[in-house]
């Protein structure tokens, strides 16, 4: 059974940093692109960053470029999101998702809440 | 890229059929068949219900169907049930550099 479990969310002040983790199991992790998708309170979904299976290619939405870094450790079946210089508008639930068949996000974690507030 | 456009809300009575539209551009929906749809119940993670325009993952009810014409994709829910009340999001592959865009989301209400 495919499982994605996020951790690392919490309350942080503007300008602060957080590192999110996503533990994957039940599939050949290194064979898949993975991504972070966020959802601000009461708002829609937004792909924040994604990373190729071997970690050689990464993309970011413009609003987080230069502040967020996506990475992965295939030996640990884990995905990460390092978030620096956090802003109030980064407040959201952050989901880890697998990029599966036909570029669809076929499995999602339960999400971890990041709150940026003073 | 700008979000794909969906109606904010759609409603229907049990047993009826409803259709949710998802309008993009020739750079996303019109360019690729990688259109997917997600169902999200309150407080829950999104769930994939349609991929590649019209394909259903294993375990998803055949009451859900998808289609696409030019720059607009559509999700139809047939035989509407109370459990279908949720938010629905479309998404399209957009190529490089940022490969995905989501729709604005549609709240489905079962009357």
């Amino acid at each position: 059974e495919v499982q994605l479990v996020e951790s690392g969310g919490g309350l942080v002040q503007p300008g602060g940093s957080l590192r999110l983790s996503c533990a994957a199991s039940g599939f050949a992790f290194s064979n898949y692109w993975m991504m972070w998708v966020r959802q601000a309170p009461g708002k829609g979904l937004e792909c924040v960053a994604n990373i190729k299976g071997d970690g050689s290619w990464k993309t970011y939405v413009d609003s987080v470029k230069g502040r967020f870094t996506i990475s992965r450790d295939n030996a640990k079946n884990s995905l990460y999101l390092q978030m620096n210089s956090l802003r109030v508008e980064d407040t959201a639930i952050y989901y880890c998702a697998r990029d599966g068949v036909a570029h669809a996000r076929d499995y999602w974690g339960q999400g971890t809440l990041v709150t940026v507030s003073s | 890229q700008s979000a794909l456009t969906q109606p904010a809300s759609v409603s229907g009575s049990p047993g009826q059929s409803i259709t949710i539209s998802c309008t993009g551009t020739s750079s996303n929906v019109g360019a690729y068949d990688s259109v997917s749809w997600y169902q999200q119940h309150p407080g829950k993670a999104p769930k994939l219900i349609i991929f590649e325009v019209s394909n259903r993952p294993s375990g998803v009810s055949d009451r859900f169907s998808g289609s696409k014409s030019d720059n607009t994709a559509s999700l139809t829910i047939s035989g509407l049930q109370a459990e279908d009340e949720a938010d629905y999001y479309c998404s399209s592959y957009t190529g490089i550099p940022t490969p995905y865009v989501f729709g604005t989301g549609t709240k489905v209400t079962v009357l």
Side-chain angles (χ1 to χ4, degrees):
Chain A
E1 177 192 8
V2 172
Q3 283 197 319
L4 299 170
V5 180
E6 302 94 336
S7 60
L11 174 63
V12 61
Q13 292 187 337
S17 298
L18 273 179
R19 188 193 195 209
L20 306 184
S21 299
C22 171
S25 60
F27 66 102
F29 182 69
S30 62
N31 289 352
Y32 290 86
W33 284 75
M34 296 293 296
M35 66 184 62
W36 290 97
V37 177
R38 69 182 177 184
Q39 186 171 35
K43 302 296 184 181
L45 302 169
E46 179 182 47
C47 287
V48 173
N50 69 341
I51 183 170
K52 192 176 180 181
D54 62 4
S56 63
W57 188 269
K58 306 173 185 180
T59 69
Y60 300 91
V61 69
D62 284 347
S63 59
V64 308
K65 283 180 182 176
R67 301 188 299 122
F68 290 12
T69 301
I70 189 171
S71 63
R72 62 193 298 161
D73 184 337
N74 287 342
K76 296 182 177 180
N77 288 345
S78 292
L79 177 72
Y80 306 101
L81 186 67
Q82 177 67 44
M83 304 186 295
N84 299 330
S85 303
L86 282 161
R87 304 168 180 168
V88 170
E89 55 264 34
D90 295 319
T91 294
I93 296 173
Y94 285 73
Y95 295 101
C96 164
R98 188 178 85 167
D99 188 348
V101 62
H103 297 294
R105 277 113 283 166
D106 56 358
Y107 288 94
W108 298 67
Q110 84 286 353
T112 187
L113 177 62
V114 172
T115 303
V116 184
S117 174
S118 55
Chain B
Q1 292 217 10
S2 299
L4 307 176
T5 301
Q6 298 180 232
S9 62
V10 174
S11 62
S13 299
Q16 285 187 328
S17 293
I18 61 170
T19 297
I20 302 169
S21 61
C22 169
T23 301
T25 69
S26 57
S27 297
N28 42 58
V29 175
Y32 305 97
D33 282 337
S34 297
V35 175
S36 49
W37 289 89
Y38 303 84
Q39 177 191 60
Q40 187 180 34
H41 287 108
K44 300 294 186 180
K47 172 189 174 184
L48 176 67
I49 56 172
I50 294 287
F51 67 94
E52 208 168 26
V53 176
S54 60
N55 293 296
R56 285 186 306 277
S58 175
V60 172
S61 172
D62 60 4
R63 297 184 299 103
F64 294 94
S65 61
S67 62
K68 190 185 85 165
S69 177
D70 297 327
N71 298 336
T72 298
S74 298
L75 173 72
T76 297
I77 309 175
S78 305
L80 199 61
Q81 298 180 1
E83 67 206 48
D84 300 331
E85 190 161 286
D87 293 325
Y88 291 82
Y89 294 90
C90 62
S91 182
S92 175
Y93 182 69
T94 62
I96 292 171
T98 42
Y100 299 108
V101 62
F102 279 102
T104 50
T106 298
K107 181 175 181 60
V108 169
T109 301
V110 181
L111 301 172

